[in-house]
Amino acid sequence: MADPGMPRREASATSRGDFDATELTRQFEQLLQTRRLNSLTDRARSRTGSPVPHDRASSSSSSLRRQSSSSSVSKPPQRHPPRPPTAGASGSLPPSYASLRNLPKVPSPPQDASSLRFRNLLLTLSVTPTKYENPGLLDEAMRVIPLDRIYSEGEEESQILQAQAESLGGNEKPEWGYQDCVIRALLRWFKRSFFTWVNNPPCPVCSSPTVAQGMVPPTPDEAARGATRVESYRCSLVDCGAFERFPRYSDVWQLLQSRRGRCGEWANCFSMLCRAVGGRVRWVWNMEDHVWTEVYSEQQKRWVHVDACEEAWDNPRLYSEGWGKKMSYCIAFSIDGATDVTRRYVRNHTKHGLDRTKAPEEVLIWITNEIRKMRRESLSKEEKRRLIKEDDREEKELRGYVAQALAVEVANMLPGSPSSPSNTGVAATSEDRKHPAGRQSGSAEWVQARGEGGTGQPGPDESRERR
């Protein structure tokens, strides 16, 4: 039964089933904030009793003395029982992501050994996109790209989108701009014509399938070309038995020559080619054994997910909802700094998230701020202000994903309410119209072993040595 105090319009709308979860979401968030504030207040009182505020204590001390003298028995101060310490409060282990995601976070420098190791790892990874600024490397990239074809396809698609926008009338703008269309054309060419996926390399003698033999150290020449590890394979034919080495190169110049690899090589080479045609790029690292690219769309004023291995464009839910992959950290590195973009790729932490135990959240914020400061140190004040505005806009976008997920969860609790974003008071985007699928790159056995075929079940062996 509807509340008698409810306006007639709202009551009739509710009875028809046209429910708008926007107001409910706002009230729910306010309730969570209020409960969290009460919890923090109770914790403070459990440690110090129930202290009287200083200004009130000083003004009413005389009245308290009069009450004490007139009463023969005074009541003891009321104290809350101390609460047991939580796992996140342990000094030996950093608090989990779940215990900290609702707390206001203040950047804090790393102190414990785990946080220091994580900082060193992120600082090392942050160097990767700086290599894309090498003028000689960019010239080499421009030499291998069929520029006439890429620009022609980009111009054609851009004109089609412009015509579609004009047909809608009003002040409608095309969904993607010319630069976005150029990157999309580059993505198609890279996937279909330029780079090759390697499962097990063929035998160099008889071209028969090979069997993995483990890892071997790189030769001096391979190490000079950026190979930190080398996979060894042996021909499956007994009469042949030849060995084949598969160096995992990280040097982009070498990748332009070899033009083969797995997701690590694909993302590294494609990101550099995007930079060569004028795009602003990010190299995104996922701790659970995957890497991909983000490009900045001036048309939409946001960073767009691009995965060259899957030929995926603006489909960030691909990994969690398509592959069934659970993830903890997704960190995007660019020439301008580092950003934790996990919320873009993990919309429902309960279903698709893993505990973030490498460092407390405050420490991660401190590390990304440190990398940003390093990368932007030589920029002008105008450039710094522009990037700060861009950071604020992205943070608002990432918070919007959290609010959208919350609205969907609240809507799911209501009987007969659809859970699509369009019915939760949140505006639908182009990615909401996509249906993520299981992983397409790699052999079926390899995909199944990694648990990325779309079943949502983790693989038995998520080995990081085959990234």
Side-chain angles (χ1 to χ4, degrees):
M1 181 179 296
D3 188 351
M6 180 183 295
R8 182 173 301 174
R9 182 183 303 174
E10 295 181 7
S12 61
T14 305
S15 63
R16 293 196 306 268
D18 298 334
F19 182 76
D20 185 4
T22 305
E23 179 62 21
L24 180 59
T25 301
R26 188 192 65 78
Q27 295 177 5
F28 188 65
E29 290 177 344
Q30 183 65 33
L31 177 61
L32 288 179
Q33 294 175 2
T34 303
R35 292 183 61 184
R36 189 58 188 162
L37 180 60
N38 293 339
S39 175
L40 293 174
T41 304
D42 290 344
R43 288 187 184 181
R45 288 178 176 176
S46 67
R47 292 192 297 266
T48 62
S50 300
V52 181
H54 185 269
D55 54 343
R56 294 181 58 187
S58 59
S59 62
S60 60
S61 59
S62 59
S63 62
L64 289 175
R65 284 195 295 270
R66 286 195 299 269
Q67 292 178 9
S68 177
S69 60
S70 62
S71 176
S72 58
V73 180
S74 60
K75 295 182 180 180
Q78 183 179 0
R79 296 177 181 268
H80 293 271
R83 298 193 177 189
T86 61
S90 173
S92 58
L93 293 176
S96 65
Y97 173 73
S99 66
L100 284 176
R101 57 186 173 183
N102 292 325
L103 284 172
K105 301 174 182 63
V106 178
S108 303
Q111 301 290 341
D112 58 279
S114 176
S115 298
L116 290 171
R117 287 194 297 269
F118 194 51
R119 172 183 177 269
N120 292 337
L121 172 62
L122 296 185
L123 288 175
T124 301
L125 295 173
S126 70
V127 177
T128 300
T130 64
K131 301 175 182 178
Y132 305 153
E133 305 301 314
N134 186 323
L137 186 62
L138 294 175
D139 290 342
E140 180 67 15
M142 295 291 283
R143 188 184 65 81
V144 302
I145 299 175
L147 295 175
D148 291 341
R149 169 184 169 182
I150 299 301
Y151 288 137
S152 176
E153 291 182 8
E155 177 67 25
E156 181 179 358
E157 184 179 15
S158 177
Q159 291 178 356
I160 292 175
L161 293 175
Q162 181 67 37
Q164 291 175 349
E166 292 176 354
S167 67
L168 298 176
N171 296 323
E172 289 291 332
K173 294 183 179 180
E175 183 177 13
W176 304 108
Y178 170 69
Q179 182 64 29
D180 303 326
C181 295
V182 169
I183 300 296
R184 286 160 63 94
L186 181 69
L187 174 64
R188 292 189 293 269
W189 166 79
F190 187 88
K191 167 72 173 180
R192 304 174 189 181
S193 305
F194 184 71
F195 225 71
T196 303
W197 182 272
V198 174
N199 292 306
N200 288 16
C203 174
V205 177
C206 63
S207 300
S208 299
T210 58
V211 180
Q213 301 295 305
M215 307 296 292
V216 295
T219 64
D221 179 68
E222 292 168 341
R225 297 170 184 265
T228 56
R229 62 191 191 277
V230 178
E231 299 173 5
S232 178
Y233 294 86
R234 186 173 184 176
C235 182
S236 57
L237 295 181
V238 179
D239 296 339
C240 180
F243 284 88
E244 171 69 347
R245 299 169 64 88
F246 179 36
R248 305 305 305 277
Y249 291 117
S250 61
D251 183 79
V252 186
W253 188 90
Q254 178 60 34
L255 295 178
L256 291 175
Q257 317 306 317
S258 64
R259 304 183 183 183
R260 66 173 189 168
R262 301 195 191 102
C263 56
E265 291 88 347
W266 279 66
N268 197 9
C269 189
F270 179 73
S271 298
M272 193 275 302
L273 294 181
C274 290
R275 187 73 188 100
V277 296
R280 292 178 57 197
V281 299
R282 280 173 168 175
W283 178 77
V284 185
W285 168 83
N286 165 236
M287 188 170 180
E288 285 67 45
D289 199 18
H290 194 49
V291 285
W292 58 89
T293 307
E294 286 184 349
V295 296
Y296 190 78
S297 170
E298 293 291 347
Q299 182 75 5
Q300 297 204 9
K301 301 297 181 185
R302 65 180 177 91
W303 289 94
V304 178
H305 159 257
V306 188
D307 192 322
C309 302
E310 305 293 295
E311 199 178 322
W313 171 271
D314 195 27
N315 193 7
R317 297 180 293 118
L318 170 68
Y319 313 117
S320 58
E321 300 177 26
W323 295 7
K325 188 179 184 70
K326 292 191 174 184
M327 299 182 288
S328 57
Y329 295 97
C330 299
I331 312 296
F333 300 98
S334 72
I335 190 62
D336 298 320
T339 304
D340 179 10
V341 293
T342 309
R343 288 171 289 177
R344 179 173 291 131
Y345 299 95
V346 181
R347 304 296 176 86
N348 190 321
H349 179 77
T350 303
K351 292 181 180 179
H352 306 125
L354 294 175
D355 287 340
R356 294 156 61 102
T357 58
K358 291 298 180 182
E361 295 301 301
E362 294 87 350
V363 172
L364 177 57
I365 296 174
W366 190 92
I367 296 172
T368 55
N369 288 344
E370 179 187 21
I371 296 174
R372 286 181 182 178
K373 184 178 179 180
M374 272 194 311
R375 297 287 176 255
R376 302 177 183 182
E377 192 173 14
S378 59
L379 297 180
S380 64
K381 292 182 179 180
E382 291 74 15
E383 279 292 302
K384 290 180 180 179
R385 281 196 293 266
R386 181 184 63 80
L387 291 174
I388 290 175
K389 290 182 180 179
E390 189 177 290
D391 295 337
D392 293 341
R393 189 163 55 242
E394 182 175 28
E395 178 61 25
K396 183 178 179 180
E397 173 197 344
L398 297 177
R399 288 179 180 175
Y401 295 137
V402 177
Q404 178 178 329
L406 180 62
V408 171
E409 289 297 319
V410 172
N412 286 337
M413 293 187 293
L414 301 175
S417 297
S419 60
S420 63
S422 59
N423 294 291
T424 57
V426 180
T429 62
S430 61
E431 66 168 274
D432 294 323
R433 298 188 289 269
K434 298 180 180 179
H435 302 280
R439 183 164 192 161
Q440 306 300 314
S441 55
S443 65
E445 296 80 5
W446 185 74
V447 172
Q448 184 177 5
R450 293 166 59 90
E452 297 172 351
T455 61
Q457 300 296 327
D461 179 20
E462 300 228 1
S463 174
R464 284 165 174 74
E465 69 180 17
R466 291 178 63 86
R467 178 185 296 164

